[in-house]
Amino acid sequence: FTLEGYPIKFTVANSDSKYSFQEMAAHLAVVLIPWEHALMAFFEYYSMAVPTMMPEAHWAYRLAFDPEGNLGSTTSEYFGIDPTCPEQGCTADDGRRHHPFPPFGFESLESRRYWYQYSSFEQFPHIIKFSSIPDLLNKLVTTDLRSTTAAMKAFNQETLARSVAAWRSARARLLPLQRESLPLAAGNSD
């Protein structure tokens, strides 16, 4: 849809929408309104360096923890379980829990606020945050999307390099390669 007099055309999608990666990457920017604290679409758009706009945290953590969501619970039924805790779960006071709220237990606004800060929405750089619909409409036409894309690509490359180095290091520690102890495949003359 297009707002009268507004220079940008909107494509509205939801979790049932089906787009190829090529169709997703063809957009100049994406506006994500989170209904969960971890959206696959977020990672897909970010990895394609499509400038991503999202609500500021004070708005988002009210949206991201939908009672119908599947990545947590907004009811009191969930509590962190540790084999050393009593049946009703550990408390923040007994020293066995490292966070003030159990992970994926989002009943209170305080727990949502606390855990949202650890979401990729807050941890990844170059996400364009908006505080209201008018702020979003303004940022859509005033943000330098090319430089945002470039910054996202640079972050993706840096992250890839760090990830490859970490996995290589882990492989070297866990699976030391000793060529002389490896059996040779049939027909291999090495």
Side-chain angles (χ1 to χ4, degrees), residues 54-133:
M54 298 188 76
E56 289 180 356
H58 67 88
W59 188 12
Y61 58 67
R62 289 173 164 80
L63 301 168
F65 302 101
D66 183 338
E68 300 299 317
N70 62 2
L71 293 178
S73 176
T74 56
T75 69
S76 59
E77 295 172 20
Y78 181 88
F79 55 86
I81 297 177
D82 176 316
T84 64
C85 293
E87 187 174 318
Q88 63 274 18
C90 291
T91 67
D93 302 337
D94 67 15
R96 288 182 276 193
R97 192 188 300 165
H98 300 287
H99 297 280
F101 303 99
F104 306 109
F106 307 127
E107 181 181 24
S108 72
L109 191 56
E110 292 79 23
S111 67
R112 296 174 193 193
R113 198 178 283 140
Y114 177 79
W115 285 112
Y116 191 80
Q117 71 183 321
Y118 296 109
S119 73
S120 297
F121 308 149
E122 287 296 299
Q123 296 290 314
F124 278 42
H126 317 298
I127 303 301
I128 303 152
K129 302 296 177 82
F130 58 89
S131 60
S132 64
I133 299 300

Side-chain angles (χ1 to χ4, degrees), residues 128-156:
I128 303 152
K129 302 296 177 82
F130 58 89
S131 60
S132 64
I133 299 300
D135 186 39
L136 166 64
L137 295 175
N138 179 55
K139 286 181 176 176
L140 281 168
V141 295
T142 60
T143 301
D144 181 353
L145 299 177
R146 288 183 203 272
S147 66
T148 302
T149 293
M152 292 170 83
K153 283 181 180 178
F155 177 74
N156 285 337

Side-chain angles (χ1 to χ4, degrees), residues 11 19-30 45 48 50-51:
T11 302
Y19 292 105
S20 69
F21 289 123
Q22 185 177 0
E23 291 169 318
M24 292 170 69
H27 290 88
L28 295 176
V30 62
Y45 280 110
M48 292 185 276
V50 175

Side-chain angles (χ1 to χ4, degrees), residues 5-64:
Y6 192 71
I8 294 177
K9 179 183 176 203
F10 292 88
T11 302
V12 178
N14 61 34
S15 59
D16 295 326
S17 299
K18 307 288 186 234
Y19 292 105
S20 69
F21 289 123
Q22 185 177 0
E23 291 169 318
M24 292 170 69
H27 290 88
L28 295 176
V30 62
V31 177
L32 289 177
I33 308 296
W35 61 92
E36 291 279 359
H37 64 284
L39 300 178
M40 198 65 216
F42 172 84
F43 299 106
E44 291 166 342
Y45 280 110
Y46 201 100
S47 68
M48 292 185 276
V50 175
T52 304
M53 300 188 173
M54 298 188 76
E56 289 180 356
H58 67 88
W59 188 12
Y61 58 67
R62 289 173 164 80
L63 301 168

